[in-house]
Amino acid sequence: MKTNHVSVLIVGAGPVGLATAALLRQHGVAVRIIEKNKGPTPYSKAIGIHARTLESMHALGLTEQLIADGHPMHKFRLVEDGRTIMAAGFSNIGSPYSFVLGLPQSRTEQNLLARFQELGGSVEWGTHLTGITSCGNPGMPDAPAVVRVQDADGVEQTISCNWLIGADGSRSAVREMAKIAFPGGDYGNAFILGDVKIDWDGPKYDLQFFLSGKGYLLLIPMPNGMHRIIAQTDQTYEDFQQGERPATTLQELQQIVNRNGPGNLRVHSPQWLTCAPFYHRLADTAVKDRIVLVGDAFHLFSPLGAQGLNTGFQDAFNLGWKLAFIERAGPIPSCFTLTRTSARQLRAGSQQSPRRPHATLPRHRCRNGCCVATPPPGTTVPNEFKRRCRECSPV
């Protein structure tokens, strides 16, 4: 069987995989991206986009489009037993984007896919990874990673690549085939998530968290008058290990809203309902030989706070320019590494926020969100890796 070679092969065309692919294409790196599903997700899934992600999206020219498509949330309110115990704004977070953006993942992916296609890329839909023959050796130029894939027509092929990126989610085939451990646990009870319209006399445009002795409920405004509701249910992890998944109904969601919510809030017109256990997990390493894990393949969080999507994007933005630098600028300087210590550092400290798991170089950040990497001593940095704005000093 003939072996096809590509600089970077990405497995998984979710938001993190698409962002990584677009960044690499923008730097002129040859990249292929495969996705086992037949097309982009139609579901809203992850909906919270943080300020740092919006800053980073300038690198792809997508920031303003994402904001136009989404719903900015400028305030946060914490309510306990009908009484507001805390109210705060996001105006002091030190960013031009002093809000959390509510935007369905399906729309985020559409924007990323469109940008990737503008750059000449295409996703190989219905194509899945069937095996990893070799993890490669980054210290040897003639020792790439080698994998087997099968396309939508059942045709198998062998691909060699300088870098294999696992962006294929919590059940990552890349991670499992590379035999990278993924320790962690679940949160006990399962979560219910619903994208619905609501009838309620209370404030509808802020991020709101309701607490009571019976449980909690998060209410998140979205575009087009929709709201995301997140709450824990009485179902446990074990309930989802018995063949068929428990059904999720609007009636069940309404019952939880009545129990945990502000009162007199009716849900209707659902666009998406799901219920599942969620996990906190962190892979033992993000990098193994020529394999790199990003996003949910590397780390998992509770859906509260949108940490998973946003840390995944930071994986992409830190990794993208580094791989482009390596592919375009030659040998890897000794101080320029895709760190293997992040997982241990995060586990030793807090499993809440691996903000930049691949960043090892000092970075300068200006008020407009541009980043300039400090080059390794004695390294010539090609002009395309010098990102600046009028408020930045040149590298």
Side-chain angles (χ1 to χ4, degrees):
M1 183 183 298
K2 180 182 177 180
T3 299
N4 299 301
H5 183 79
V6 67
S7 294
V8 180
L9 175 65
I10 300 174
V11 180
V16 176
L18 287 170
T20 307
L23 288 160
L24 289 167
R25 283 293 306 166
Q26 193 161 262
H27 285 305
V29 176
V31 57
R32 289 177 65 177
I33 180 168
I34 64 173
E35 168 57 54
K36 64 181 181 181
N37 293 317
K38 295 181 179 180
T41 182
Y43 304 116
S44 54
K45 295 187 176 181
I47 61 169
I49 297 181
H50 294 171
R52 182 64 189 131
T53 297
L54 292 172
E55 294 172 358
S56 300
M57 284 292 176
H58 275 291
L60 291 172
L62 292 178
T63 302
E64 299 308 319
Q65 184 61 56
L66 293 173
I67 294 173
D69 289 347
H71 176 90
M73 293 171 276
H74 295 274
K75 297 179 181 178
F76 172 82
R77 200 163 68 100
L78 184 62
V79 181
E80 183 178 29
D81 293 324
R83 181 173 60 93
T84 299
I85 60 175
M86 186 181 79
F90 299 120
S91 58
N92 295 321
I93 62 175
S95 170
Y97 309 107
S98 53
F99 50 83
V100 175
L101 186 69
L103 181 64
Q105 180 176 317
S106 55
R107 186 59 187 153
T108 302
E109 288 188 15
Q110 288 173 21
N111 283 300
L112 288 165
L113 178 59
R115 180 60 181 143
F116 181 50
Q117 291 171 336
E118 287 176 2
L119 294 165
S122 63
V123 177
E124 299 174 40
W125 302 107
T127 302
H128 65 278
L129 184 72
T130 60
I132 297 178
T133 303
S134 171
C135 295
N137 184 341
M140 299 176 63
D142 58 348
V146 181
V147 304
R148 300 185 307 276
V149 304
Q150 184 179 82
D151 67 19
D153 297 322
V155 178
E156 294 188 351
Q157 60 177 296
T158 300
I159 302 173
S160 65
C161 54
N162 296 342
W163 300 99
L164 173 64
I165 311 301
D168 48 343
S170 60
R171 299 181 179 181
S172 169
V174 173
R175 187 190 64 241
E176 292 180 3
M177 292 178 186
K179 295 181 171 55
I180 298 174
F182 199 37
D186 66 271
Y187 290 95
N189 289 23
F191 288 81
I192 188 169
L193 288 77
D195 292 348
V196 297
K197 289 191 175 182
I198 65 173
D199 293 333
W200 184 44
D201 292 334
K204 298 180 182 178
Y205 303 104
D206 299 334
L207 186 62
Q208 298 178 80
F209 197 41
F210 298 95
L211 300 172
S212 73
K214 299 177 181 178
Y216 63 80
L217 182 144
L218 185 62
L219 184 64
I220 309 169
M222 296 169 60
N224 303 318
M226 301 297 293
H227 280 75
R228 162 71 58 84
I229 293 176
I230 305 176
Q232 275 191 312
T233 72
D234 294 329
Q235 295 172 320
T236 65
Y237 169 84
E238 287 74 19
D239 294 327
F240 289 81
Q241 312 307 308
Q242 312 295 327
E244 289 188 14
R245 296 167 62 95
T248 305
T249 65
L250 186 64
Q251 180 181 7
E252 180 186 5
L253 180 62
Q254 183 67 66
Q255 291 172 349
I256 293 173
V257 169
N258 293 343
R259 183 182 66 194
N260 300 349
N264 299 317
L265 191 158
R266 185 177 77 90
V267 299
H268 61 94
S269 307
Q271 287 189 352
W272 185 55
L273 292 170
T274 190
C275 185
F278 288 89
Y279 309 91
H280 50 87
R281 294 187 182 277
L282 187 65
D284 277 352
T285 182
V287 182
K288 180 178 180 180
D289 300 321
R290 289 185 178 272
I291 297 173
V292 187
L293 303 178
V294 293
D296 286 354
F298 176 37
H299 42 66
L300 286 181
F301 302 89
S302 156
L304 303 181
Q307 295 180 86
L309 177 66
N310 289 279
T311 53
F313 275 134
Q314 292 311 307
D315 295 350
F317 281 98
N318 281 279
L319 180 63
W321 74 265
K322 284 188 171 183
L323 289 189
F325 182 95
I326 293 168
E327 289 299 297
R328 299 284 304 280
I332 308 173
S334 59
C335 63
F336 189 92
T337 60
L338 302 178
T339 177
R340 296 169 185 261
T341 59
S342 295
R344 291 194 294 274
Q345 291 169 347
L346 290 165
R347 190 171 288 116
S350 168
Q351 290 193 344
Q352 293 182 353
S353 183
R355 293 186 60 192
R356 295 187 177 107
H358 300 296
T360 58
L361 298 182
R363 300 178 73 80
H364 168 70
R365 176 176 163 192
C366 79
R367 192 170 62 190
N368 287 346
C370 299
C371 284
V372 178
T374 303
T379 301
T380 300
V381 181
N383 287 333
E384 59 263 39
F385 298 105
K386 300 177 181 179
R387 301 210 313 267
R388 56 170 295 203
C389 74
R390 63 175 178 269
E391 296 185 18
C392 291
S393 298
V395 176

